[in-house]
């Protein structure tokens, strides 16, 4: 009998990855493909959903071929995805009516300010656990319905999108729902992704009628909400489709919750930080939805079949790894690996601070009009100082969130589990440990986002029996402990607040 595996589609902000895992949680196949980043106007970010679906099929086929694995050996398929990114598509044809609006997109900032002026921020937070922000799917969906048709394709029926949405002819979803729809034909999302739309009541665990009315979203557009690990399955792949097999699609988690699951943060107090395009710091708070008083989000961490949801506190940092990409874009570095070498070549930033607020600031500041800022430069400032300041900005933003997390939860972190592409940088990991004054643990399998959704799907089909068995799979690659004096770390961090202050409310147009 041939070996069997569980696979994951990890659809991220910059590309799509397909990974296959064995019983020990080790990677046996891996394929990746980037997709285009579309910037129609400053602060606007879009993706082509059809390109994402085509790339998904390509990486699945490539990964199976490279790993010498037949699709029949896959016992289950899990999905994880860039959260909040929003697609609206035609129910009959399956074609998107507009490009996806990416989580980073700020075009609905004016609408968010209307909500703030109408004193609806606390009302939204009580229902959803979220800040009123352009980050989430509600204002994106509203924008697409009201604006997309003139920009892209005219309806053959001659009706505008809002009429068609109200008539039940359009569907909306985050990227997980888009992929599940294309894989199985079913319109389904999981609780973690639903909790990021600003349309879902995380305490009542249902789409909220008052929020749907506020944003003009008809409930007929919305996917059915299911557990993150679903023993009833979301559906099966089409045996006549590109895989040629009927494989259960049985698990889905938004990427940051998937990383928490992959890091086996199954108990209250467990915390992880993922360093990707942005950074996302989550702490499991168990069955209690802890309200934040320090600018964090209350969100759903995961749900197993037949069990209550587990909640989490989250600090969403919009730009971290993308700041390193920006260094490459402006030719300060040739590749990401070069940052450690350049940063090490100087003893400090010589007082330079970089605030990478390219798409506004997330937790705990929540300023959609903040913009990227470099302060403290002199004639002696060199690119090495700016590169080091960029890495330090990642550490400072994480400390912002860590301090808010401890204040809200009342739990002092003993260790922070880290993952994501940027943690391959030992200099950054050590710097993070120094600035946050906490031990850092980096796992052997650093693609924990894909691993987490594979775990969810595998548990649903019985490939793994319990979450307890998964804890044994988690192995540390390297630990980092603070080497910097706490007083020095505090002094460096104290000026970070001054730099952030100068970035706020910059984009007035």
């Amino acid at each position: 009998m041939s070996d069997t595996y569980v696979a994951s589609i990890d659809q991220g902000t910059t590309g799509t990855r397909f990974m296959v895992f064995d019983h020990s949680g080790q990677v046996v196949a891996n394929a990746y493909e980037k997709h285009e980043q579309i910037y129609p106007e400053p602060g606007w970010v879009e993706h082509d959903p059809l390109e994402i679906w085509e790339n998904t099929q390509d990486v699945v086929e490539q990964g199976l071929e490279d790993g010498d694995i037949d699709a029949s050996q896959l016992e289950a398929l899990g999905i994880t995805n860039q959260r909040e990114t929003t697609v609206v598509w035609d129910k009959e044809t399956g074609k998107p009516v507009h490009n996806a609006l990416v989580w980073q997109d700020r075009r609905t900032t004016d609408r968010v300010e209307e909500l703030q002026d109408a004193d609806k921020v606390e009302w939204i937070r009580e229902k959803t656990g979220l800040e009123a922000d352009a980050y989430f799917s509600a204002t994106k969906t509203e924008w697409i319905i009201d604006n997309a048709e003139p920009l892209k394709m005219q309806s053959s029926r001659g009706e505008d999108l809002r009429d068609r949405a109200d008539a039940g002819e359009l569907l909306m979803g985050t990227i997980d729902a888009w992929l599940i729809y294309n894989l199985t034909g079913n319109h389904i999302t999981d609780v973690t992704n639903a909790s990021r739309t600003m349309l879902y009541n995380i305490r009542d665990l249902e789409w909220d009628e008052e929020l749907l009315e506020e944003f003009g979203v008809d409930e007929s557009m919305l996917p059915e909400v299911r557990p993150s690990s679903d023993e009833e399955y979301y559906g099966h792949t089409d045996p006549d489709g590109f895989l040629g097999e009927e494989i259960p699609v049985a698990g889905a988690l938004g990427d940051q919750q998937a990383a928490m699951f992959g890091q086996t943060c199954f108990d209250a107090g467990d915390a992880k930080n993922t360093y990707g395009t942005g950074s996302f710091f989550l702490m499991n708070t168990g069955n209690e939805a802890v309200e934040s008083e320090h600018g964090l989000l209350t969100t759903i961490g995961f749900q197993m079949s037949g069990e209550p949801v587990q909640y989490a506190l989250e600090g969403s940092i919009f730009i971290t790894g993308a700041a390193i990409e920006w260094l490459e874009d402006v030719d300060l570095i040739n590749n990401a690996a070069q940052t450690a070498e350049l940063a090490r070549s100087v003893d400090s930033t010589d007082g330079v601070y970089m605030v990478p607020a390219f798409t506004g600031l997330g937790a705990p500041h929540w300023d959609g009009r903040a913009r990227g800022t470099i302060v403290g430069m002199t004639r002696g400032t060199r690119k090495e100082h700016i590169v080091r300041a960029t890495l330090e900005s990642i550490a400072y933003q994480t400390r912002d969130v860590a301090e808010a997390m401890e204040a809200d939860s009342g739990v002092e972190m003993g260790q922070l589990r880290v993952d994501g592409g940027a943690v391959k940088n030992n200099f950054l990991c050590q710097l993070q440990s120094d600035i946050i004054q906490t031990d850092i643990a980096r796992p052997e399998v650093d693609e924990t986002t894909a691993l987490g959704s594979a775990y969810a799907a595998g548990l649903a089909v019985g490939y793994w029996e319990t979450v307890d068995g998964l804890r044994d799979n988690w192995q540390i690659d390297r630990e980092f402990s603070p080497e910097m004096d706490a007083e020095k770390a505090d002094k460096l961090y104290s000026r970070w607040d001054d730099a952030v202050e100068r970035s706020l409310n910059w984009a007035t147009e």
Side-chain angles (χ1 to χ4, degrees):
M1 180 180 169
S2 60
D3 292 330
T4 61
Y5 308 101
V6 174
S8 170
I9 295 168
D10 180 355
Q11 204 300 295
T13 307
T14 55
T16 305
R17 186 177 299 280
F18 176 72
M19 300 186 81
V20 182
F21 299 91
D22 63 15
H23 272 285
S24 63
Q26 295 300 303
V27 180
V28 295
N30 187 354
Y32 178 78
E33 192 168 331
K34 282 190 171 184
H35 57 258
E36 183 184 1
Q37 306 296 311
I38 303 164
Y39 305 105
E41 294 187 26
W44 294 27
V45 191
E46 298 179 358
H47 293 156
D48 179 350
L50 293 176
E51 181 191 10
I52 285 174
W53 172 235
E54 288 167 6
N55 287 1
T56 298
Q57 296 171 80
D58 290 345
V59 294
V60 169
E61 291 173 336
Q62 189 64 50
L64 292 175
E65 183 180 336
D66 291 352
D68 195 22
I69 296 166
D70 190 84
S72 63
Q73 294 176 265
L74 302 181
E75 290 202 13
L77 182 59
I79 293 171
T80 182
N81 56 289
Q82 50 168 322
R83 303 171 306 170
E84 300 92 20
T85 297
T86 305
V87 187
V88 175
W89 65 95
D90 186 296
K91 185 176 183 178
E92 185 179 331
T93 67
K95 299 291 190 230
V97 303
H98 190 267
N99 282 334
L101 302 196
V102 180
W103 58 272
Q104 300 160 312
D105 189 282
R106 308 308 300 178
R107 76 186 65 186
T108 59
T109 297
D110 287 348
R111 175 68 171 108
V112 169
E113 289 171 348
E114 286 177 15
L115 296 168
Q116 294 166 348
D117 292 342
D119 291 328
K120 292 183 176 178
V121 173
E122 191 58 39
W123 173 69
I124 289 171
R125 187 187 291 118
E126 285 173 2
K127 290 172 176 288
T128 67
L130 308 175
E131 289 287 324
D133 196 86
Y135 176 27
F136 305 108
S137 309
T139 60
K140 297 182 192 301
T141 306
E142 182 182 43
W143 188 95
I144 291 172
I145 293 171
D146 287 336
N147 297 281
E149 195 118 43
L151 292 182
K152 195 147 187 188
M153 55 182 78
Q154 292 294 325
S155 165
S156 59
R157 301 174 184 82
E159 300 168 286
D160 68 19
L161 281 186
R162 183 155 295 287
D163 289 340
R164 296 185 61 209
D166 293 343
E169 295 175 7
L170 301 180
L171 302 178
M172 94 40 90
T174 43
I175 293 290
D176 63 304
W178 170 244
L179 293 181
I180 291 168
Y181 176 84
N182 280 287
L183 287 164
T184 70
N186 298 324
H187 193 211
I188 288 170
T189 190
D190 93 298
V191 287
T192 66
N193 280 294
S195 77
R196 309 300 295 190
T197 60
M198 215 162 74
L199 297 170
Y200 190 73
N201 191 309
I202 63 168
R203 291 170 178 82
D204 297 340
L205 301 180
E206 62 185 16
W207 297 115
D208 191 277
E209 289 182 9
E210 292 179 332
L211 290 173
L212 297 183
E213 184 178 352
E214 172 68 39
F215 296 105
V217 179
D218 194 90
E219 191 163 1
S220 66
M221 294 183 71
L222 299 169
E224 179 187 353
V225 183
R226 303 277 280 275
S228 314
S229 176
D230 190 1
E231 292 174 359
E232 295 184 5
Y233 309 165
Y234 306 145
H236 293 78
T237 59
D238 183 354
D240 298 322
F242 75 103
L243 272 169
E245 289 288 338
E246 199 172 43
I247 300 164
V249 181
L253 292 143
D255 53 9
Q256 304 313 320
Q257 286 93 334
M260 186 172 80
F261 207 78
Q263 288 271 35
T264 67
C265 294
F266 301 136
D267 300 322
D270 290 346
K272 71 90 199 175
N273 195 23
T274 297
Y275 299 76
T277 302
S279 284
F280 299 86
F281 193 139
L282 271 74
M283 178 185 281
N284 186 328
T285 61
N287 300 136
E288 181 186 1
V290 174
E291 292 186 28
S292 176
E293 297 178 2
H294 298 87
L296 302 180
L297 306 177
T298 305
T299 197
I300 294 177
F302 60 88
Q303 183 184 26
M304 309 292 291
S305 283
E307 296 183 13
V309 301
Q310 295 244 31
Y311 292 94
L313 278 170
E314 175 175 333
S316 308
I317 304 167
F318 293 158
I319 299 290
T320 52
I324 296 172
E325 291 177 1
W326 175 80
L327 292 174
E328 199 170 342
D329 291 342
V330 296
D331 295 330
L332 289 175
I333 61 172
N334 296 321
N335 54 66
Q338 199 181 5
T339 57
E341 174 193 345
L342 289 169
R344 263 197 208 97
S345 71
V346 289
D347 294 331
S348 73
T349 67
D350 273 1
V352 174
Y353 283 76
M354 194 270 210
V355 184
F358 301 139
T359 57
L361 286 173
H365 309 286
W366 295 107
D367 185 346
R369 295 192 180 276
R371 286 296 179 266
T373 307
I374 301 176
V375 296
M377 289 193 295
T378 67
R379 188 65 181 82
T381 299
R382 304 197 311 276
K383 72 176 180 180
E384 290 85 352
H385 298 116
I386 294 173
V387 169
R388 185 175 180 123
T390 302
L391 293 182
E392 287 190 3
S393 76
I394 297 173
Y396 294 138
Q397 289 182 101
T398 302
R399 178 161 168 173
D400 281 346
V401 170
E403 292 194 348
M405 195 79 71
E406 290 184 348
D408 277 331
S409 68
V411 176
E412 186 174 340
M413 272 186 315
Q415 182 191 69
L416 178 63
R417 298 183 176 191
V418 300
D419 56 70
V423 302
K424 295 179 176 72
N425 185 326
N426 290 336
F427 180 86
L428 174 62
C429 288
Q430 184 58 57
L431 178 67
Q432 183 67 87
S433 178
D434 288 339
I435 295 299
I436 206 173
Q437 290 290 296
T438 297
D439 291 341
I440 300 288
R442 182 175 66 196
E444 282 185 0
V445 178
D446 60 4
E447 292 291 349
T448 54
T449 304
L451 180 60
S453 70
Y455 279 164
L459 286 163
V461 301
Y463 187 78
W464 292 287
E465 291 186 5
T466 66
V467 296
D468 293 327
L470 300 180
R471 288 186 175 91
D472 297 334
N473 286 349
W474 191 78
Q475 301 293 325
I476 291 176
D477 170 55
R478 182 168 170 180
E479 291 183 282
F480 300 83
S481 297
E483 295 176 356
M484 184 184 289
D485 177 78
E487 188 176 338
K488 181 180 178 183
D490 290 346
K491 185 178 179 182
L492 288 171
Y493 179 62
S494 68
R495 298 246 44 203
W496 166 251
D497 283 340
D498 297 335
V500 168
E501 189 65 32
R502 285 156 172 78
S503 76
L504 300 177
N505 198 34
W506 185 263
T508 55
E509 294 299 320

